[in-house]
Amino acid sequence: MGSENIKKIKIFDTTLRDGEQSPGASMNTLEKLNLARQLARLGVDVIEAGFPIASDGDFEAVKAIAEEIKGVEIAGLARANEKDIYRAYSAVKYSEKPVIHTFIATSDLHLKYKLKMSREELYEKAINMVRYAKSFVENIEFSAEDASRTDSDFLYKVIEGVIEAGATTVNIPDTVGYATPFEFFNFIKNIKDKVKGIENVILSVHCHNDLGLAVANSLSAILAGANQVECTINGIGERAGNAALEEIVMALDVRKDIYNAITNINTSEIYRSSQLLTHITGISVQPNKAIVGKNAFAHEAGIHQDGVLKEKTTYEIMTPERVGRQSNDLVLGKHSGKHAFKEKLESLGYLLNDKEIEDAFVKFKALSDRKKEIYDEDIDSLVAKSHSFEKYELKYVNVVCGDTVTPLSMVKVMVDGELKHNSSCGNGPVDAAINAIEKIVTSKAKVIGYEVKSIRGTTEAQGDVSITIEENGVNITGRSAHTDIVVASAKAYVNALNKLYVHNSNIKKSSQINVYGDL
Ligand code: KIV
Ligand code: ZN
C-alpha cells in the first residue's frame, strides 16, 4: 500500500469520563490532572475530561484540565439540553481547543422507555441542541447513543440534520456492546456511503466491551472508514468497559499492512499510562491482558524461551520497549539527591510544582531509609496519590501479632484536625488495624475487596495494597504502598475513606442531578 493513502486516526481518550464510570474508579481533581498530563505525553488527540453537570468535582476537574493542558482538544460531555451544554461550555472554555460533546439516544427502545419521546421530537431536540452548543464553540461532537440498535434510515436522517446544524464530529456508539465486527463494519460503511455531508466531518466510533468485542468492532469501523476511535486506558469504563486504547493503537501499529493507518500516539508512553491509571484507581489489569498485563511479554514454555533467545521475532510480534516496558536501570537510593530525584520525576512524566516535588522528596527519603533500591514503580506509588482534601490522616499504627497471640492493634487517626485513637483485635494484623480505624471514623462503608502484591523485588519490596469499600451502592478503591504491609493496608483504607468522603460531598453539592436518567 502506498504511504500516500495512509489514514490518520484520531484517538479520543475517555478514561476520565466513561472510564471513571467503572465501579471503584472515581478520581479526585489532582489525580485527574496527573492522568491528563500523562495522556498529553502519550499523544492522544482529544481528552474527554469529564461530565461537568454531573458534580462540582467533575466540573472543577474539567476546568482545571482545560486551563492547563495545551495542544490537545479538551471535551466535556453534556446531555442534549441547554443546562448541560452551558455547564460543559463553562468548563471547557478555558481550553485552547474546546469541544462540547452532546449526546442523546436514538434507538426506539430508548425513545419509548427512557426518553418517552417520538422520533420527530428527538430529531428536533438533537438539531436544536447542536445549534445551541455551536453558539459557544466551533467543535461540537454529537453522539447518537445506542446507535448500533437504531433504525438505520432514522439514524442517517439524524446524522444529516446534526451535520447541517454544525456538528464537526459524529460519534456512533455501540453503547451496550451488542454489535459484532462484520456487522459493525457494514453499519459504518453504510453511514459513510449514504449520509449526506459525512465526508465533511470526523466519523467516530465508541464501542463497549460487553461481548469482549470492543477493540475488534473499533478496528472494523476503521476499515470501514471511521477516522476517530473513542477508547480508554486499560479498557476501563461502564460495565465491561470500553475499547482499550493500547490494544487499538498497537493493532494499528503492528498490522500496518492491514489497516494502513497511523495515530499520534507515542507508543513508548503506553505502559507508563497504564501503570499510572492503576496506581490512581487501585484497579489492576489481569496478568494476561494484552500489551500491558504482567505476562504480556513473558515466555514460560521452554520451546518459546529457546526460540526468543535465538531470535526474538519467533514469538514476539512487538518488542516490550515499543510500548515502554524496558527495565529502567537508573535506580535511585538513599544517597540520591533532590536533583536526581527531580530528573527522575521528569523522565517519568510527572510535571509537579515545587511544593509537590518537596512533598514527594520527603516521602522518597523516608522510603529510602527502609528500602535500598527505589524503582520507577516505587516512585509512581509515592506521587500518584495526591489529595486536595484529607478528612482522615493515619498518624500511628502498631500491631502485635504472631502464631500464639490474638492480633491486637492500636491506631491513631487525625479526624478533621482532632487526634483520635482506638484499638481492636482481628483475624490477622491487617484485620485488627482496619477494625480499629473503623471504630474511629464515622463512615458506614464496608470493606468488600482487598489485594496485596509486591512492587518489584522480593521480601524487601514495598507491598502495594488496594482496598475497596462500598457504601450505598458506590464502590471506591483506595491504594497505598509501604514496606510494612499492615501500614500499607491501614493507609489504603484511609485513602479509600477520604475518596469516599470527597465523592459524597460532590454528590451533595451537585443538586441531585440524575446524570444518566432522563434529559
Ligand atoms: O456509551 C455511550 O453511548 C456513551 C455516550 C455518552 C457517547 O458513553
Ligand atoms: Zn460509553
Side-chain angles (χ1 to χ4, degrees):
M1 261 172 246
S3 59
E4 67 280 4
N5 296 326
I6 288 190
K7 240 173 76 175
K8 163 80 203 306
I9 304 299
K10 275 182 93 171
I11 300 293
F12 178 112
D13 181 278
T14 183
T15 309
L16 293 169
R17 198 277 298 168
D18 215 325
E20 211 212 5
Q21 289 169 218
S22 285
S26 55
M27 302 172 230
N28 66 32
T29 299
L30 284 177
E31 289 166 343
K32 286 184 181 177
L33 203 47
N34 258 340
L35 192 62
R37 289 169 184 152
Q38 178 57 25
L39 291 172
R41 280 174 72 93
L42 177 64
V44 304
D45 299 280
V46 189
I47 294 175
E48 183 161 55
F51 192 0
I53 195 92
S55 70
D56 289 353
D58 247 54
F59 178 87
E60 287 310 325
V62 177
K63 177 171 177 274
I65 291 167
E67 277 169 343
E68 183 184 309
I69 307 292
K70 304 291 170 218
V72 182
E73 292 176 43
I74 306 296
L77 186 68
R79 288 166 299 187
N81 69 57
E82 293 188 356
K83 213 168 152 196
D84 276 39
I85 290 171
Y86 188 71
R87 188 78 170 149
Y89 164 66
S90 307
V92 297
K93 69 179 179 188
Y94 299 94
S95 163
E96 46 176 43
K97 296 179 172 186
V99 180
I100 296 176
H101 174 192
T102 187
F103 73 100
I104 189 162
T106 48
S107 65
D108 287 339
L109 202 66
H110 280 240
L111 284 179
K112 180 169 173 198
Y113 294 106
K114 189 180 86 175
L115 300 175
K116 301 187 192 333
M117 272 176 137
S118 66
R119 286 187 180 182
E120 291 66 36
E121 285 166 331
L122 174 118
Y123 178 79
E124 286 305 312
K125 181 120 203 149
I127 282 158
N128 288 339
M129 289 307 107
V130 168
R131 269 199 205 115
Y132 179 68
K134 192 79 175 179
S135 68
F136 300 113
V137 299
E138 170 55 27
N139 284 334
I140 309 297
E141 171 165 321
F142 173 80
S143 284
E145 192 190 5
D146 207 22
S148 55
R149 295 191 299 172
T150 298
D151 172 74
S152 298
D153 288 332
F154 179 58
L155 183 64
Y156 303 157
K157 180 176 159 180
V158 173
I159 299 174
E160 280 172 10
V162 295
I163 293 175
E164 230 167 80
T168 46
T169 298
V170 171
N171 183 38
I172 308 298
D174 179 27
T175 302
V176 289
Y178 182 70
T180 60
F182 185 58
E183 175 193 33
F184 204 56
F185 173 93
N186 286 327
F187 193 64
I188 298 300
K189 176 110 182 44
N190 282 333
I191 291 174
K192 212 49 204 167
D193 291 343
K194 297 185 178 168
V195 172
K196 258 194 265 120
I198 197 77
E199 65 286 1
N200 302 323
V201 298
I202 301 285
L203 177 56
S204 171
V205 292
H206 173 113
C207 298
H208 278 271
N209 206 29
D210 300 67
L211 293 173
L213 294 171
V215 170
N217 286 336
S218 305
L219 293 169
S220 292
I222 288 173
L223 286 175
N227 31 28
Q228 173 174 288
V229 282
E230 302 198 352
C231 43
T232 58
I233 305 291
N234 297 344
I236 67 166
E238 189 76 33
R239 306 182 309 280
N242 289 63
L245 178 148
E246 60 279 5
E247 294 179 21
I248 295 177
V249 168
M250 290 318 291
L252 296 179
D253 188 72
V254 172
R255 298 309 308 270
K256 275 201 194 77
D257 56 327
I258 300 289
Y259 296 105
N260 199 30
I262 50 163
T263 67
N264 254 345
I265 297 295
N266 175 358
T267 60
S268 65
E269 291 291 335
I270 284 180
Y271 189 57
R272 168 145 305 284
S273 308
S274 162
Q275 291 280 101
L276 180 61
L277 179 66
T278 296
H279 276 290
I280 291 174
T281 59
I283 301 174
S284 309
V285 297
Q286 84 234 33
N288 60 322
K289 164 88 175 61
I291 319 292
V292 292
K294 187 163 170 267
N295 299 342
F297 293 89
H299 302 280
E300 182 72 16
I303 298 173
H304 290 209
Q305 288 173 349
D306 180 56
V308 168
L309 287 174
K310 286 177 176 148
E311 167 55 47
K312 278 188 177 176
T313 53
T314 51
Y315 287 101
E316 259 179 27
I317 58 168
M318 64 197 134
T319 63
E321 289 80 9
R322 184 100 189 103
V323 297
R325 296 188 67 154
Q326 71 274 24
S327 58
N328 189 333
D329 287 325
L330 183 59
V331 178
L332 298 184
K334 195 181 173 80
H335 301 293
S336 306
K338 200 182 286 172
H339 185 71
F341 180 68
K342 209 172 145 191
E343 276 194 356
K344 181 59 132 183
L345 285 177
E346 276 167 19
S347 78
L348 294 178
Y350 293 109
L351 306 169
L352 307 184
N353 63 33
D354 289 348
K355 162 91 175 62
E356 288 164 336
I357 293 174
E358 194 53 50
D359 289 351
F361 189 63
V362 170
K363 289 188 202 162
F364 163 73
K365 279 290 171 192
L367 178 60
S368 63
D369 276 339
R370 298 193 305 271
K371 190 170 181 288
K372 233 167 71 201
E373 293 181 319
I374 312 286
Y375 298 106
D376 292 356
E377 291 88 337
D378 289 314
I379 293 180
D380 283 333
S381 77
L382 292 181
V383 293
K385 291 255 167 274
S386 37
H387 290 279
S388 45
F389 179 79
E390 299 215 328
K391 182 174 173 67
Y392 306 110
E393 193 189 346
L394 184 73
K395 283 293 188 195
Y396 174 87
V397 54
N398 185 330
V399 183
V400 179
C401 63
D403 60 350
T404 54
V405 290
T406 302
L408 178 67
S409 77
M410 164 79 195
V411 301
K412 294 183 187 169
V413 177
M414 195 70 98
V415 184
D416 289 332
E418 189 190 336
L419 192 63
K420 301 197 171 179
H421 57 88
N422 220 315
S423 59
S424 180
C425 45
N427 273 347
V430 170
D431 194 42
I434 302 300
N435 290 345
I437 297 170
E438 232 171 33
K439 287 184 181 171
I440 294 175
V441 300
T442 47
S443 170
K444 296 277 168 286
K446 290 267 158 294
V447 175
I448 58 162
Y450 177 75
E451 204 183 300
V452 57
K453 58 181 193 255
S454 73
I455 297 182
R456 277 232 229 162
T458 58
T459 50
E460 88 301 345
Q462 290 200 91
D464 183 356
V465 175
S466 302
I467 289 191
T468 306
I469 59 175
E470 189 270 338
E471 188 184 69
N472 300 328
V474 175
N475 295 356
I476 301 272
T477 301
R479 190 163 182 175
S480 190
H482 197 278
T483 47
D484 180 325
I485 60 161
V486 178
V487 177
S489 304
K491 287 186 163 189
Y493 181 50
V494 168
N495 176 239
L497 291 169
N498 280 326
K499 286 173 113 175
L500 180 65
Y501 182 79
V502 171
H503 175 88
N504 287 343
S505 318
N506 282 336
I507 297 281
K508 263 187 225 132
K509 279 192 248 159
S510 70
S511 57
Q512 323 290 280
I513 291 160
N514 174 11
V515 269
Y516 282 103
D518 47 27
L519 279 173

